[in-house]
Amino acid sequence: EAMFIGVIGGILSIPIAFLLDRIIGYGLTEVVEAWSLIQIVMAAVVLSMLAALLPAWRATRIDPVEALRYE
């Protein structure tokens, strides 16, 4: 799930960044290579998986009966 969210977030961030660049008016005219875009998506996937790692690790350490008792 975290990997899926990272892929979607990375893919959606690219056109949003280009759109904001046009709206703000900096007008960056540099050509962006495909490898740079792939690195952006890969970084988003890695960061989202790292962010999901700690809560998932904590969830495996809790007894299910004790976790349900608080709900």
Side-chain angles (χ1 to χ4, degrees), residues 6 8 17-18 22-23 27 29 45 55 66 68:
I8 297 299
F18 282 115
R22 297 295 177 211
I23 291 172
T29 57
V45 170
E66 188 176 328
L68 290 173

Side-chain angles (χ1 to χ4, degrees), residues 1-2 4 6 8 11 15 35 37 40 42 45 51 55 64 69 71:
E1 183 179 354
F4 179 71
I8 297 299
I11 290 173
W35 179 243
L37 299 177
I40 291 169
M42 288 174 32
V45 170
R69 185 178 309 156
E71 289 189 13

Side-chain angles (χ1 to χ4, degrees), residues 7 10-11 13 20 31 38 41 45 53 55 58 61 64:
V7 168
I11 290 173
S13 68
L20 287 175
V31 176
I38 292 170
V41 174
V45 170
L53 185 64
R58 284 184 181 172
R61 312 289 267 167

Side-chain angles (χ1 to χ4, degrees), residues 3-71:
M3 185 169 42
F4 179 71
I5 290 171
V7 168
I8 297 299
I11 290 173
L12 289 178
S13 68
I14 295 168
I16 291 171
F18 282 115
L19 180 65
L20 287 175
D21 177 53
R22 297 295 177 211
I23 291 172
I24 292 173
Y26 285 118
L28 297 176
T29 57
E30 300 168 356
V31 176
V32 179
E33 297 179 3
W35 179 243
S36 297
L37 299 177
I38 292 170
Q39 287 177 334
I40 291 169
V41 174
M42 288 174 32
V45 170
V46 169
L47 289 174
S48 65
M49 291 179 72
L50 286 175
L53 185 64
L54 182 62
W57 181 74
R58 284 184 181 172
T60 61
R61 312 289 267 167
I62 296 175
D63 182 37
V65 175
E66 188 176 328
L68 290 173
R69 185 178 309 156
Y70 291 110
E71 289 189 13

